[in-house]
Amino acid sequence: EVEEVYAWVDQVPLSRPKRNISRDFSDGVLLAEAVSHFYPKLVEMHNYSAANAHAQKLYNWQTLNKKVLKRLGITLSGKEMEDACNCVPLVV
């Protein structure tokens, strides 16, 4: 199941190479890019900046959750966003 997700991610053109999914997606930018690939009018990429700082990562996830995922009928909990920021395996 996880391998299928990794194979799917490999088919989506992203701005950074994928090495460690948990770490690579921790700032929310690559997920925003993936959603933008399929729904280009839904995501405004200028709202997301690559980040190492926890506060910026969390801001990106909160913005993605509020402006994009909500429109797709998906809502992330605060814990899910925190776990993604903290690179918890299999959260993304």
Side-chain angles (χ1 to χ4, degrees):
E1 187 174 292
V2 173
E3 288 79 20
E4 291 177 22
V5 173
Y6 291 172
W8 177 81
V9 168
D10 286 338
Q11 295 175 3
V12 178
L14 300 173
S15 63
R16 303 189 301 243
K18 298 157 296 292
R19 295 187 177 101
N20 178 316
I21 293 288
S22 297
R23 191 176 327 121
D24 296 339
F25 279 74
S26 69
D27 65 4
V29 173
L30 293 186
L31 183 60
E33 289 179 4
V35 174
S36 177
H37 175 72
F38 295 102
Y39 302 97
K41 294 182 181 182
L42 197 60
V43 181
E44 297 176 16
M45 286 306 300
H46 70 270
N47 288 326
Y48 310 95
S49 58
N52 289 321
H54 184 272
Q56 183 61 45
K57 289 180 181 184
L58 189 56
Y59 173 80
N60 285 348
W61 277 104
Q62 290 169 337
T63 303
L64 188 63
N65 195 35
K66 183 173 65 175
K67 293 188 174 196
V68 178
L69 299 179
K70 182 178 178 181
R71 290 181 180 174
L72 296 172
I74 301 167
T75 303
L76 298 177
S77 69
K79 181 176 180 352
E80 289 170 323
M81 290 185 281
E82 281 287 339
D83 287 349
C85 292
N86 291 322
C87 308
V88 174
L90 302 177
V91 169
V92 177

